[in-house]
Amino acid sequence: MTATATRPPDAAPPATGGKRAPKRERQGAAWVFLSPWVLGATVLTLLPMAVSLYLSFTDYNMFDAPRWIGFRNYTQMFTEDPRYWRSVTTTLTYVVIAVPLQLALALAVAIALKSVKRGKGFYRSAFYAPSLLGASMSIALVWRAIFNDGGSVDNLLSGMGIDIGGWINKPGWAILSVALLTIWQFGAPMVIFLAGLQQIPAELYEAAAVDGASWWRQFRSITIPMLSPVLFFNLVLQMIQAFQVFTPAFAVSAGKGGPADSTLVYTLYLYDRGFTASHMGYASAMAWVLLLAIGVVTAVLFRTSRAWVFYANDTNEGGR
């Protein structure tokens, strides 16, 4: 016979070693760590959005109590305000100019930096610096001085026999000067492009070179398809940012959107309606229309990406 040890009734239960905490306790700890983010998102984002949505259906001038008017702000926006549609046209013009040129310049610089053997970190930092500085008002004011009458650009072009004058005073050129400031800030997408280029296997280029493919054919048949997810990512981010441009247009036009509303981008007109004219209800309606427009454009980009974005694990033509 073998003796078996017995545990007294009042003895503590044996240790369970690495037994996990109950699910309810784990969830409680998770919410404790998430609480700063949840509190910040609620107070700084969700609550202001809810207030803004309510104000968009009111007549509110920031001094008197909001007065409910239903969809009046939206109908006035679409049917009675010609400056609103000029701001939409100006913003679309800016987006069409700035986003493709910025991405093209970022990709070109990234391809050039990929072949650099020494000092890559220095060049990467130097090209990225405008992305950190360009969004500031000080740089925008410097940009205004450069493109003003008698500025650096005016003097340079005059020396070459091209007499345009100050770009910011010409309705046909003012929006281009604003777009150039955005194009100059190509550092962020350039870094992302460079990271994507470094992930493309060198064997693909070697095999293409053996087959006699030219540089352009390699770029079109290898670089662009393999880089398409990164290109799509940059396109979505830069498109969203471009629709919200404000600082360059405000600085170049001194907050007026001139000359002849040629730099009256959407957010600048929103600012004018809300803080200059004290029509905060109307400005709130404009903000929600902008949010919906950005959502629609982003959804269209995601939908059309199935035809041109390719991933390494895809087997079907069309990228997904």
Side-chain angles (χ1 to χ4, degrees):
M1 296 180 63
T2 58
T4 58
T6 60
R7 180 172 60 89
D10 57 346
T16 57
K19 185 178 180 181
R20 299 178 62 184
K23 182 178 180 181
R24 182 174 298 178
E25 293 183 8
R26 297 199 305 270
Q27 291 180 344
W31 280 109
V32 169
F33 285 107
L34 285 173
S35 59
W37 180 89
V38 173
L39 180 62
T42 302
V43 175
L44 301 178
T45 302
L46 298 180
L47 183 59
M49 288 181 65
V51 173
S52 174
L53 181 61
Y54 166 73
L55 291 179
S56 70
F57 296 100
T58 66
D59 180 13
Y60 179 52
N61 59 8
M62 297 189 296
F63 301 101
D64 301 323
R67 182 172 60 88
W68 183 268
I69 58 174
F71 288 92
R72 174 60 180 167
N73 287 326
Y74 293 94
T75 56
Q76 179 182 353
M77 186 188 313
F78 294 129
T79 62
E80 303 175 14
D81 190 354
R83 291 196 77 198
Y84 172 81
W85 288 110
R86 282 200 293 272
S87 71
V88 172
T89 303
T90 301
T91 303
L92 292 176
T93 302
Y94 167 83
V95 171
V96 170
I97 295 174
V99 174
L101 292 180
Q102 184 191 50
L103 294 181
L105 183 59
L107 180 57
V109 174
I111 293 174
L113 286 180
K114 182 185 177 184
S115 60
V116 173
K117 301 300 181 182
R118 301 179 60 183
K120 181 179 293 187
F122 169 77
Y123 290 114
R124 190 180 338 186
S125 301
F127 284 118
Y128 185 77
S131 294
L132 300 176
L133 303 175
S136 65
M137 179 61 74
S138 58
I139 296 298
L141 292 175
V142 171
W143 205 262
R144 178 184 178 182
I146 291 175
F147 285 92
N148 206 343
D149 287 327
S152 302
V153 174
D154 185 19
N155 293 333
L156 177 62
L157 294 178
S158 297
M160 299 171 59
I162 304 175
D163 189 11
I164 297 179
W167 289 24
I168 65 173
N169 298 320
K170 307 290 183 182
W173 292 88
I175 191 62
L176 181 58
S177 65
V178 176
L180 286 176
L181 179 55
T182 299
I183 296 169
W184 178 63
Q185 303 171 47
F186 64 89
M190 180 268 301
V191 171
I192 298 174
F193 276 136
L194 184 59
L197 288 170
Q198 293 173 344
Q199 301 301 316
I200 301 177
E203 294 80 4
L204 297 178
Y205 294 103
E206 294 172 358
V210 170
D211 291 339
S214 63
W215 177 89
W216 174 250
R217 184 57 185 271
Q218 295 180 32
F219 175 78
R220 189 163 53 90
S221 301
I222 298 177
T223 304
I224 293 299
M226 295 295 293
L227 204 62
S228 58
V230 178
L231 179 60
F232 174 67
F233 177 78
N234 273 333
L235 177 61
V236 171
L237 287 187
Q238 300 308 315
M239 188 77 70
I240 293 174
Q241 293 180 10
F243 275 106
Q244 302 177 74
V245 63
F246 174 78
T247 303
F250 182 88
V252 166
S253 66
K256 304 298 183 181
D261 288 343
S262 60
T263 59
L264 187 68
V265 294
Y266 195 97
T267 54
L268 182 57
Y269 188 50
L270 188 154
Y271 172 85
D272 176 75
R273 293 293 86 196
F275 294 97
T276 303
S278 297
H279 294 165
M280 188 57 67
Y282 190 86
S284 298
M286 288 186 61
W288 276 95
V289 171
L290 177 61
L291 176 63
L292 293 177
I294 292 176
V296 170
V297 171
T298 304
V300 170
L301 289 176
F302 271 91
R303 184 66 178 177
T304 58
S305 67
R306 300 180 180 182
W308 61 275
V309 178
F310 304 92
Y311 297 92
N313 58 350
D314 285 337
T315 58
N316 298 328
E317 184 178 359
R320 298 188 181 186

